[in-house]
Amino acid sequence: RRLPAAFFEPLVSEHEACTNMTSFDLLQYWWNNHSANASRVWNSTLDYSWCIPQHSKKLAHHFIKKARDVRKLSQVDGLIFVKSPKAASSTGAGISLRISNHVGNRLYGGIPCTVNYTHPFAYFRGHAKRSSTSSLLWTIVREPAARQLSIYNFFFLARKGLNSSNEQNVFDFLATHKSGQFRYLATR
């Protein structure tokens, strides 16, 4: 499902005010003013049409390594977790696996439901090929500034050994690196 046009209207009308903001400030501004528009309350029902027995279809996430692999998909069924880095992604994947096992146990006597939850599956937008009638899509969205700082700490400090006390390194990173979180969430 696409976001309604009303979701983007404030962004277009505020374009003038946002043009002089740094990427960090723009992310913070969007989060504070528009993040509530991106979510909705889920009406609870006992509809398990998304739970396809795992053995009945090859799992999409098993072979997705490149964008061309997503183009080969005709349809993605089952429980789909859009796994965005540094946004509780491993926790969300674990939750997806537990849900798949518990619901599959209840419905099929021990056979888990189909579940798709890897970073490449989300990065190359495998969820864009989902069936709206036989899938359940969910994700975790993290506040963008905290996510960017977490990426900086994980990928740049821990792996490259940069000096964490140097504030200029942090500011340079935030000014030059865009948040990839929206890429993971987009379907196009």
Side-chain angles (χ1 to χ4, degrees), residues 76-94:
V76 179
D77 299 316
L79 183 59
I80 302 169
F81 174 63
V82 179
K83 191 174 182 184
S84 179
K86 308 314 292 171
S89 59
S90 295
T91 301

mmCIF file of all heavy atoms in Angstrom, residues 76-94:
data_model
loop_
_atom_site.group_PDB
_atom_site.id
_atom_site.type_symbol
_atom_site.label_atom_id
_atom_site.label_comp_id
_atom_site.label_asym_id
_atom_site.label_seq_id
_atom_site.Cartn_x
_atom_site.Cartn_y
_atom_site.Cartn_z
ATOM 1 N N VAL A 76 5.602 -12.798 -2.770
ATOM 2 C CA VAL A 76 6.154 -13.187 -1.476
ATOM 3 C C VAL A 76 4.998 -13.351 -0.498
ATOM 4 O O VAL A 76 4.162 -12.462 -0.359
ATOM 5 C CB VAL A 76 7.152 -12.131 -0.945
ATOM 6 C CG1 VAL A 76 7.692 -12.544 0.406
ATOM 7 C CG2 VAL A 76 8.287 -11.936 -1.932
ATOM 8 N N ASP A 77 4.936 -14.513 0.140
ATOM 9 C CA ASP A 77 3.888 -14.824 1.106
ATOM 10 C C ASP A 77 4.490 -14.976 2.490
ATOM 11 O O ASP A 77 5.703 -15.060 2.652
ATOM 12 C CB ASP A 77 3.199 -16.144 0.733
ATOM 13 C CG ASP A 77 2.535 -16.089 -0.623
ATOM 14 O OD1 ASP A 77 1.883 -15.081 -0.899
ATOM 15 O OD2 ASP A 77 2.672 -17.066 -1.382
ATOM 16 N N GLY A 78 3.633 -15.062 3.474
ATOM 17 C CA GLY A 78 4.056 -15.362 4.831
ATOM 18 C C GLY A 78 4.287 -14.119 5.668
ATOM 19 O O GLY A 78 3.876 -13.013 5.326
ATOM 20 N N LEU A 79 4.962 -14.311 6.767
ATOM 21 C CA LEU A 79 5.303 -13.220 7.676
ATOM 22 C C LEU A 79 6.547 -12.519 7.140
ATOM 23 O O LEU A 79 7.571 -13.161 6.888
ATOM 24 C CB LEU A 79 5.561 -13.783 9.079
ATOM 25 C CG LEU A 79 5.860 -12.786 10.187
ATOM 26 C CD1 LEU A 79 4.713 -11.805 10.368
ATOM 27 C CD2 LEU A 79 6.112 -13.521 11.493
ATOM 28 N N ILE A 80 6.460 -11.219 6.935
ATOM 29 C CA ILE A 80 7.563 -10.451 6.350
ATOM 30 C C ILE A 80 7.991 -9.380 7.333
ATOM 31 O O ILE A 80 7.201 -8.515 7.705
ATOM 32 C CB ILE A 80 7.143 -9.799 5.016
ATOM 33 C CG1 ILE A 80 6.666 -10.861 4.024
ATOM 34 C CG2 ILE A 80 8.288 -8.982 4.441
ATOM 35 C CD1 ILE A 80 5.994 -10.294 2.797
ATOM 36 N N PHE A 81 9.251 -9.452 7.757
ATOM 37 C CA PHE A 81 9.817 -8.440 8.632
ATOM 38 C C PHE A 81 10.819 -7.627 7.831
ATOM 39 O O PHE A 81 11.782 -8.175 7.299
ATOM 40 C CB PHE A 81 10.501 -9.080 9.846
ATOM 41 C CG PHE A 81 11.227 -8.084 10.708
ATOM 42 C CD1 PHE A 81 10.537 -7.077 11.357
ATOM 43 C CD2 PHE A 81 12.595 -8.152 10.870
ATOM 44 C CE1 PHE A 81 11.192 -6.142 12.140
ATOM 45 C CE2 PHE A 81 13.264 -7.224 11.652
ATOM 46 C CZ PHE A 81 12.563 -6.223 12.290
ATOM 47 N N VAL A 82 10.596 -6.327 7.710
ATOM 48 C CA VAL A 82 11.528 -5.446 7.006
ATOM 49 C C VAL A 82 12.639 -5.111 7.993
ATOM 50 O O VAL A 82 12.448 -4.345 8.927
ATOM 51 C CB VAL A 82 10.823 -4.174 6.485
ATOM 52 C CG1 VAL A 82 11.815 -3.268 5.783
ATOM 53 C CG2 VAL A 82 9.689 -4.550 5.556
ATOM 54 N N LYS A 83 13.792 -5.721 7.774
ATOM 55 C CA LYS A 83 14.915 -5.666 8.716
ATOM 56 C C LYS A 83 15.846 -4.509 8.366
ATOM 57 O O LYS A 83 16.705 -4.619 7.512
ATOM 58 C CB LYS A 83 15.657 -7.005 8.670
ATOM 59 C CG LYS A 83 16.674 -7.191 9.751
ATOM 60 C CD LYS A 83 17.260 -8.597 9.718
ATOM 61 C CE LYS A 83 18.255 -8.766 10.841
ATOM 62 N NZ LYS A 83 18.915 -10.059 10.796
ATOM 63 N N SER A 84 15.683 -3.402 9.062
ATOM 64 C CA SER A 84 16.479 -2.197 8.852
ATOM 65 C C SER A 84 17.636 -2.179 9.859
ATOM 66 O O SER A 84 17.401 -2.330 11.051
ATOM 67 C CB SER A 84 15.583 -0.980 9.044
ATOM 68 O OG SER A 84 16.296 0.197 8.880
ATOM 69 N N PRO A 85 18.880 -1.989 9.411
ATOM 70 C CA PRO A 85 20.029 -2.050 10.320
ATOM 71 C C PRO A 85 19.964 -1.029 11.455
ATOM 72 O O PRO A 85 19.503 0.092 11.277
ATOM 73 C CB PRO A 85 21.227 -1.742 9.416
ATOM 74 C CG PRO A 85 20.765 -2.046 8.048
ATOM 75 C CD PRO A 85 19.295 -1.761 8.029
ATOM 76 N N LYS A 86 20.447 -1.437 12.604
ATOM 77 C CA LYS A 86 20.557 -0.598 13.804
ATOM 78 C C LYS A 86 19.194 -0.065 14.252
ATOM 79 O O LYS A 86 19.079 1.036 14.758
ATOM 80 C CB LYS A 86 21.547 0.555 13.605
ATOM 81 C CG LYS A 86 22.917 0.151 13.096
ATOM 82 C CD LYS A 86 23.538 -1.028 13.789
ATOM 83 C CE LYS A 86 23.936 -0.788 15.211
ATOM 84 N NZ LYS A 86 24.343 -2.013 15.914
ATOM 85 N N ALA A 87 18.148 -0.880 14.054
ATOM 86 C CA ALA A 87 16.811 -0.510 14.508
ATOM 87 C C ALA A 87 16.149 -1.741 15.133
ATOM 88 O O ALA A 87 15.049 -2.118 14.770
ATOM 89 C CB ALA A 87 15.982 0.023 13.349
ATOM 90 N N ALA A 88 16.862 -2.392 16.051
ATOM 91 C CA ALA A 88 16.380 -3.605 16.720
ATOM 92 C C ALA A 88 16.076 -4.706 15.706
ATOM 93 O O ALA A 88 15.146 -5.491 15.881
ATOM 94 C CB ALA A 88 15.173 -3.301 17.597
ATOM 95 N N SER A 89 16.870 -4.777 14.644
ATOM 96 C CA SER A 89 16.576 -5.709 13.556
ATOM 97 C C SER A 89 16.733 -7.168 13.950
ATOM 98 O O SER A 89 15.902 -7.996 13.566
ATOM 99 C CB SER A 89 17.434 -5.388 12.335
ATOM 100 O OG SER A 89 18.803 -5.464 12.648
ATOM 101 N N SER A 90 17.743 -7.512 14.708
ATOM 102 C CA SER A 90 17.902 -8.908 15.129
ATOM 103 C C SER A 90 16.807 -9.304 16.109
ATOM 104 O O SER A 90 16.308 -10.431 16.080
ATOM 105 C CB SER A 90 19.279 -9.121 15.759
ATOM 106 O OG SER A 90 20.276 -8.926 14.789
ATOM 107 N N THR A 91 16.426 -8.386 16.963
ATOM 108 C CA THR A 91 15.321 -8.646 17.886
ATOM 109 C C THR A 91 14.032 -8.877 17.106
ATOM 110 O O THR A 91 13.287 -9.822 17.374
ATOM 111 C CB THR A 91 15.141 -7.462 18.859
ATOM 112 O OG1 THR A 91 16.359 -7.289 19.580
ATOM 113 C CG2 THR A 91 13.995 -7.697 19.816
ATOM 114 N N GLY A 92 13.761 -8.024 16.110
ATOM 115 C CA GLY A 92 12.571 -8.182 15.280
ATOM 116 C C GLY A 92 12.578 -9.492 14.506
ATOM 117 O O GLY A 92 11.539 -10.150 14.378
ATOM 118 N N ALA A 93 13.742 -9.889 13.986
ATOM 119 C CA ALA A 93 13.846 -11.160 13.267
ATOM 120 C C ALA A 93 13.557 -12.323 14.215
ATOM 121 O O ALA A 93 12.855 -13.276 13.848
ATOM 122 C CB ALA A 93 15.228 -11.306 12.639
ATOM 123 N N GLY A 94 14.078 -12.234 15.432
ATOM 124 C CA GLY A 94 13.810 -13.275 16.432
ATOM 125 C C GLY A 94 12.335 -13.358 16.781
ATOM 126 O O GLY A 94 11.769 -14.447 16.920
#
